[in-house]
Amino acid sequence: MNSTELANVEPSGAAADISSEARAMTLGQKVEYAKLLADSGMIPKHYQKHPANCLVAIEYGEALDIAPIVAINQITVVNGGASMEAKLMIALARKAGHKVRLSGDEKTATCLIIRADDPGHESIVTWDEAKAKKSKLWGGGHWETNPGLMLRY
């Protein structure tokens, strides 16, 4: 499959079936698509020049019923494995009808989840600097420059 053939894939009209394009592709077509994506400078660095990683993200996204380009941008590599970014987790939870509420500041963040199928039960998780340090997250990269955002997401 070349870029012209990929451009001619007809998207579905239903938001719930957003990954129908990926599902319609054969494995060989997905490999070619992954190669094209890996050559792009507009995708996250951990996918650039790594078509096999792109393919894993496409497959992971297909399992979650999300479009390949969303998968490439919202599934990241953590310690050598594929992992959803927090924003994707929140979006999928909300798409399923659950309520997600985030609050916090630079030192503490709380996530409240109310399940669609059990609205009387609230799940509350709080992260703070001590918990992030204990988990060996605090102190480097984005944790150093924007700790409040990292705690919330």
Side-chain angles (χ1 to χ4, degrees):
M1 178 176 264
N2 62 37
S3 58
T4 303
E5 291 169 321
L6 285 172
N8 290 327
V9 173
E10 290 294 323
S12 72
D17 193 23
I18 198 161
S19 67
S20 63
E21 297 88 0
R23 291 187 198 285
M25 286 191 268
T26 66
L27 179 58
Q29 291 170 326
K30 289 177 188 177
V31 168
E32 289 303 312
Y33 185 45
K35 288 177 185 176
L36 289 170
L37 288 172
D39 282 340
S40 173
M42 295 177 64
I43 61 172
K45 294 262 186 228
H46 49 265
Y47 292 118
Q48 292 177 11
K49 306 299 180 203
H50 295 284
N53 290 356
C54 291
L55 180 61
V56 170
I58 290 167
E59 292 291 309
Y60 193 156
E62 186 175 319
L64 296 172
D65 201 28
I66 60 174
I69 198 66
V70 174
I72 292 291
N73 284 287
Q74 293 294 312
I75 296 171
T76 191
V77 179
V78 177
N79 296 324
S83 180
M84 285 189 285
E85 289 192 4
K87 290 179 184 178
L88 178 58
M89 290 181 201
I90 293 167
L92 291 174
R94 287 181 172 155
K95 180 180 175 183
H98 309 302
K99 293 180 183 174
V100 180
R101 304 286 184 263
L102 302 173
S103 61
D105 55 30
E106 294 302 305
K107 297 289 183 181
T108 304
T110 299
C111 178
L112 166 70
I113 299 172
I114 302 170
R115 292 185 55 98
D117 62 346
D118 189 5
H121 176 74
E122 295 179 350
S123 179
I124 302 171
V125 177
T126 299
W127 275 77
D128 59 16
E129 182 177 349
K131 191 172 185 177
K133 283 181 177 177
K134 186 176 180 182
S135 298
K136 297 183 175 144
L137 298 171
W138 194 271
H142 291 298
W143 283 94
E144 187 174 345
T145 59
N146 202 344
L149 183 65
M150 294 303 291
L151 285 169
R152 283 188 299 280
Y153 293 102

